[in-house]
Amino acid sequence: MKLLHYGLQRNGTNFLETLLMKNYRARFLNSNKDRSSPLQKHCRLYKNKQIIPEPQYHNEILVETFEQFESLFKVVPDYYLIISKDPYSWFLSYRNWAKKCDWPNVGNHYIEEYNLFYGTFVEFSKQSDKFIFVRYVDLLRDADAVLNHLETKMKLKKKMLARLALKNPNKVSQSNPFTDEKRAYYLGEKYMKEYSSEDMRALNSLLDPQVISFLGYESRSTVN
């Protein structure tokens, strides 16, 4: 099974890939050799390249349709996996990641990139049934259920040991070991307490309701 997966940084791309690679006979076509390549899992395919925050990811890729998008690849994947986090937890994590990596300051709100990045795949999914959207929180809540769904949807073949029990790693690349405390942080939406009323208003004023509704999230009007 040939797969390509996409997600902005801090959305669980490594976690999803690790889960699938440990349990199934799948091949990811993604590559990190060139951060501007369409094979890069964080590739920005949206039109407004000016808001790409990190120079390594700048590209001149302009695709209007799914057909144009798929023509970018020498080897065409069987499916495209798109993983996302709740925009409210993602924004906090992404902002911290940008500071940690010393990314240049940007003139836009990071949530605008979330809108465009995922909005692009939402539009492509209207033109092809090869797109499968995964929510990070669902992996935390019940990884086996998500994997079983993906197995059925994509007709994945289990690896030998996975036939006895699916493997769920607690450590993946670019992340610290996953703890019960961190799981509770996401499942209990404790990240909402980190927002000021001002930050909440700024984010909500820009968040695309159609994109987040498609991905399975809701807007919040108040800070918990």
Side-chain angles (χ1 to χ4, degrees):
M1 181 65 63
K2 300 184 294 296
L3 305 173
L4 271 176
H5 70 137
Y6 293 97
L8 282 171
Q9 287 91 337
R10 316 314 297 164
N11 269 294
T13 51
N14 291 328
F15 184 39
L16 177 60
E17 180 178 356
T18 301
L19 278 171
L20 287 169
M21 292 298 291
K22 281 185 173 292
N23 291 290
Y24 297 98
R25 295 164 58 188
R27 173 191 171 197
F28 280 88
L29 303 177
N30 298 87
S31 171
N32 285 321
K33 291 181 180 179
D34 179 1
R35 299 297 173 95
S36 65
S37 166
L39 292 174
Q40 217 286 329
K41 61 190 173 187
H42 305 311
C43 182
R44 276 70 168 176
L45 295 166
Y46 49 75
K47 297 177 184 178
N48 186 4
K49 308 299 182 181
Q50 293 182 346
I51 73 168
I52 298 176
E54 165 55 47
Q56 293 183 79
Y57 294 97
H58 276 282
N59 65 70
E60 299 299 327
I61 302 170
L62 294 174
V63 286
E64 298 280 351
T65 65
F66 168 71
E67 184 177 351
Q68 291 173 342
F69 166 65
E70 194 159 66
S71 71
L72 297 173
F73 309 115
K74 293 182 179 179
V75 178
V76 176
D78 298 299
Y79 289 97
Y80 301 92
L81 297 176
I82 315 299
I83 187 168
S84 66
K85 274 184 183 175
D86 182 305
Y88 296 93
S89 67
W90 170 82
F91 169 71
L92 297 172
S93 181
Y94 193 67
R95 184 175 62 181
N96 291 337
W97 181 257
K99 291 179 181 178
K100 179 180 178 180
C101 297
D102 197 25
W103 284 3
N105 291 328
V106 294
N108 59 276
H109 196 294
Y110 285 135
I111 206 65
E112 294 179 72
E113 187 180 17
Y114 184 100
N115 292 337
L116 294 177
F117 185 92
Y118 288 102
T120 298
F121 291 110
V122 169
E123 288 303 312
F124 288 162
S125 72
K126 297 175 182 177
Q127 304 167 45
S128 170
D129 60 2
K130 294 173 68 171
F131 289 87
I132 300 176
F133 293 82
V134 178
R135 300 196 314 169
Y136 181 72
V137 69
D138 292 334
L139 286 175
L140 297 186
R141 185 175 290 115
D142 192 343
D144 285 5
V146 175
L147 291 178
N148 286 331
H149 169 72
L150 295 177
E151 178 184 332
T152 300
K153 180 77 174 179
M154 299 188 290
K155 297 181 173 56
L156 292 168
K157 303 297 183 183
K158 282 192 177 81
K159 289 185 175 180
M160 187 69 70
L161 293 178
R163 295 175 185 174
L164 300 175
L166 293 170
K167 298 180 179 180
N168 191 346
N170 65 358
K171 178 70 176 75
V172 298
S173 175
Q174 303 298 321
S175 298
N176 295 321
F178 208 83
T179 63
D180 289 340
E181 182 179 4
K182 186 176 288 188
R183 188 183 306 277
Y185 172 81
Y186 286 108
L187 296 182
E189 298 186 356
K190 295 181 180 181
Y191 46 83
M192 295 301 296
K193 297 178 181 179
E194 299 178 32
Y195 277 93
S196 66
S197 296
E198 182 180 354
D199 285 343
M200 179 69 72
R201 283 194 297 271
L203 191 151
N204 281 338
S205 69
L206 295 167
L207 195 57
D208 188 326
Q210 293 183 325
V211 169
I212 65 168
S213 176
F214 182 96
L215 296 176
Y217 306 112
E218 298 179 349
S219 62
R220 317 295 210 288
S221 58
T222 58
V223 179
N224 290 346

